[in-house]
Amino acid sequence: MPSLEFNMILPGNIKKFIELSKDYESFSEYLPQQLKKIIIIEKNDKGIVTEETLVFSSVIKKEINQQSFHYEKSKNALITEILTGPAKGSIIDTNFSIDKIGTKINVKISLKLSLKYKILQPMIVKWYKMILQGILLKMNAKIILSDRELKS
């Protein structure tokens, strides 16, 4: 199973990162061309199920619909399990920790792809990393801007 892991250290506050990371419907605001739509279809004590429309446009333009289950593994760890679509069975594990600069974010992706999409595996791995890093960077900018506005 292809995996991807990366770390980012960003100056944003850890509590704000976790809060924004659980606001799934706002993800499409950060990257509207790649994340066309995200809606919550179920919410309960165990977690949240979303339906996403993802747009791949590197070699071919393809829209993919999938459903994901999001839950808190611990106070500083979030898990996303892909329930439907070409990446069904994939797991995204995001951990947040305090760093001297701000927040260290560790993302681990265990990617499972259906046979039809195996040939696109290298591009899909890069796409997931680019999307997640883009979302985290835009969250960081939002946190920093919010902090500046509070100080003004």
Side-chain angles (χ1 to χ4, degrees), residues 64-133:
I64 293 174
N65 292 308
Q66 69 179 30
Q67 289 184 358
S68 303
F69 177 57
H70 312 273
Y71 62 94
E72 289 184 54
K73 180 173 146 183
S74 68
K75 185 175 101 174
N76 293 341
L78 303 174
I79 302 288
T80 296
E81 296 179 11
I82 310 299
L83 302 175
T84 64
K88 179 181 178 179
S90 298
I91 297 173
I92 302 169
D93 186 348
T94 309
N95 290 278
F96 302 86
S97 58
I98 295 172
D99 184 82
K100 60 186 170 203
I101 293 173
T103 303
K104 180 178 180 181
I105 305 162
N106 176 263
V107 179
K108 293 179 189 172
I109 303 172
S110 298
L111 187 63
K112 292 183 180 179
L113 294 173
S114 62
L115 190 58
K116 181 179 175 183
Y117 290 90
K118 288 272 187 203
I119 195 163
L120 300 174
Q121 180 177 307
M123 283 190 308
I124 292 171
V125 167
K126 279 184 189 177
W127 186 88
Y128 266 104
K129 181 177 182 182
M130 177 194 71
I131 291 300
L132 292 170
Q133 286 179 327

Side-chain angles (χ1 to χ4, degrees), residues 27-40:
F27 285 15
S28 58
E29 294 171 19
Y30 300 122
L31 298 170
Q33 293 183 352
Q34 294 84 9
L35 300 171
K36 188 174 180 180
K37 180 174 70 169
I38 300 175
I39 57 170
I40 293 175

